[in-house]
Amino acid sequence: MKFRIHHLAILSLSALLIAAGCGNNAVNSSTTTNASGAAEATALPESSKLNIKVSFYPIYEFTKNVAGDLADVEALIPGGIEPHDWEPTAKDMAEISDADMLIYNGAGMEGWVDQVLESVSGTPLITVEASKGLDIMEGTEEEEADHHHEEGEHVHEEGEHVHEEGEHAHEEHSHDHGGLDPHVWLNPTLAIQEVRNIEAALAAAAPEHAEDFKTNADAYVAKLEQLDQEFKDGLKDTKRKDFITQHAAFGYLAKQYGLTQVPIAGLSPEQEPSAANMSKIVEFAKEHKVKTIFFETLVSSSVADTIAKEIGAKAAVLNPIEGLTEEDRSQNLDYLGIMRQNLEALKSALNE
């Protein structure tokens, strides 16, 4: 039934686009992509304010910081909703068709986007893949264990097996990353590249505001560079380098700062490990005297809680920033604030 609803939504978008035809005067031609991955589009009329739809929170945050007051930016996936298995409704499709630009992360994060792109092919809608041109990791690379320890090598072999089982189970779900790890935004240096791709796309669509977009992007990139330096300084001399997390979302962050992610499950946050795999993680945690098991917001912490209880450890949040919770909003937290919370959580766990 889920597939049928999704299919009808796609058909609805197609019908809307046919009806709209060339009547959308915000953009005069379809987007192409240049060799660097930046979007190329016919410029909008100077008096126009860009109407931009983005897929989910990190892309919203990056786009809003580049666009400033020169665009109306709205996320399709509501706050507090786990984005991996979200699919657009007919209403969402109508809003996409009325927009000037659709910006999404890519790398398999938005499982619905290929059908949307097919539906809008040949229309004025500008589509931007923020991760275009980035070095995207295969999902299996997330589960590398510590090669400096014999125990770590053993767990790596087990971790690969866990991941293979996870991929098999994940194929049964409607969402599929295609074997790729899409969580690039959790590495500040890759977030910078996404911001620059977004800047290039906005400048192509509204060249009269190119300098404004550059100024905004430069200011936000400076904040991301500062964040990167804080992570480097905070994690370079920790007592341990491996951490256990419920969802294999932190591969890019771990790689950037010389850490090893040991995921309980695979790329999908809804995936649950088998009893045998849980046992292997518990064994690893005991052997390495792990005192913190990380879980994430937006999904149940039951798996992490179970392992933490088994080994006498505590469960704590390591946030993949896939959407803001009500608590996040009440504290006026944003991407930078949550990343700093992640840094403090890692520093605490890695120095126990």
Side-chain angles (χ1 to χ4, degrees):
M1 182 61 69
K2 189 175 183 181
F3 174 81
R4 179 175 174 77
I5 292 171
H6 179 62
H7 182 63
L8 290 174
I10 296 294
L11 292 177
S12 297
L13 174 60
S14 300
L16 284 164
L17 293 171
I18 292 170
C22 296
N24 184 347
N25 58 13
V27 183
N28 297 319
S29 69
S30 299
T31 298
T32 58
T33 303
N34 62 24
S36 66
E40 297 176 340
T42 300
L44 298 171
E46 290 190 11
S47 61
S48 296
K49 189 174 183 179
L50 288 168
N51 175 13
I52 303 175
K53 300 298 180 186
V54 301
S55 56
F56 71 123
Y57 175 70
I59 304 303
Y60 170 85
E61 180 80 1
F62 300 160
T63 302
K64 188 64 179 174
N65 274 278
V66 175
D69 296 329
L70 297 172
D72 293 321
V73 183
E74 183 178 5
L76 291 165
I77 302 176
I81 301 297
E82 212 299 313
H84 286 77
D85 292 320
W86 180 89
E87 291 185 1
T89 64
K91 180 178 181 291
D92 296 320
M93 292 296 194
E95 291 180 354
I96 292 172
S97 72
D98 288 338
D100 301 319
M101 183 178 292
L102 171 64
I103 305 179
Y104 60 100
N105 183 77
M109 181 64 193
E110 301 90 346
W112 45 269
V113 80
D114 286 343
Q115 288 179 284
V116 171
L117 296 181
E118 182 178 350
S119 296
V120 302
S121 178
T123 74
L125 181 70
I126 301 170
T127 59
V128 182
E129 183 178 7
S131 65
K132 187 77 172 181
L134 274 63
D135 185 12
I136 303 300
M137 300 194 308
E138 296 289 337
T140 53
E141 292 183 20
E142 293 184 320
E143 302 198 356
E144 292 180 357
D146 186 354
H147 294 289
H148 298 293
H149 301 288
E150 189 172 322
E151 297 92 338
E153 290 175 352
H154 173 72
V155 171
H156 178 196
E157 294 171 0
E158 307 290 7
E160 286 182 333
H161 180 64
V162 171
H163 185 72
E164 289 169 3
E165 290 188 359
E167 284 182 333
H168 176 72
H170 191 50
E171 288 171 0
E172 297 176 3
H173 295 313
S174 61
H175 178 81
D176 184 7
H177 291 301
L180 301 177
D181 177 7
H183 302 87
V184 292
W185 63 89
L186 292 170
N187 176 342
T189 65
L190 299 182
I192 288 172
Q193 294 183 54
E194 291 202 297
V195 168
R196 290 305 187 189
N197 282 345
I198 292 168
E199 176 202 347
L202 297 186
E208 72 277 10
H209 296 304
E211 285 302 313
D212 297 308
F213 296 141
K214 184 179 187 304
T215 297
N216 293 343
D218 288 348
Y220 193 62
V221 164
K223 295 178 181 180
L224 293 171
E225 289 173 340
Q226 175 61 33
L227 180 68
D228 173 50
Q229 189 60 51
E230 291 174 24
F231 267 81
K232 287 177 180 176
D233 294 341
L235 298 175
K236 64 181 179 181
D237 295 320
T238 56
K239 293 179 181 179
R240 59 185 309 119
K241 295 299 181 181
D242 48 38
F243 62 96
I244 297 177
T245 181
Q246 183 168 318
H247 173 201
F250 299 93
Y252 293 100
L253 185 151
K255 182 178 180 180
Q256 178 68 18
Y257 302 111
L259 305 179
T260 298
Q261 173 185 232
V262 181
I264 299 171
L267 291 171
S268 171
E270 295 181 350
Q271 178 185 320
E272 293 189 5
S274 67
N277 292 330
M278 287 273 284
S279 177
K280 291 166 187 172
I281 292 294
V282 167
E283 180 183 354
F284 173 83
K286 288 179 177 178
E287 288 178 357
H288 290 77
K289 297 180 173 59
V290 174
K291 298 179 181 179
T292 300
I293 306 297
F294 286 118
F295 67 95
E296 65 183 72
T297 56
L298 303 184
V299 297
S300 171
S301 64
S302 61
V303 173
D305 290 336
T306 298
I307 293 178
K309 183 178 180 180
E310 173 74 17
I311 66 173
K314 66 178 182 292
V317 170
L318 195 62
N319 195 333
I321 322 182
E322 295 175 347
L324 296 182
T325 65
E326 287 293 337
E327 184 178 356
D328 294 333
R329 287 191 287 271
S330 70
Q331 297 178 19
N332 294 318
L333 286 171
D334 58 9
Y335 170 86
L336 295 171
I338 297 174
M339 283 294 287
R340 289 190 169 96
Q341 287 185 338
N342 283 343
L343 173 59
E344 291 305 312
L346 284 168
K347 285 165 60 177
S348 176
L350 297 176
N351 284 300
E352 292 175 323

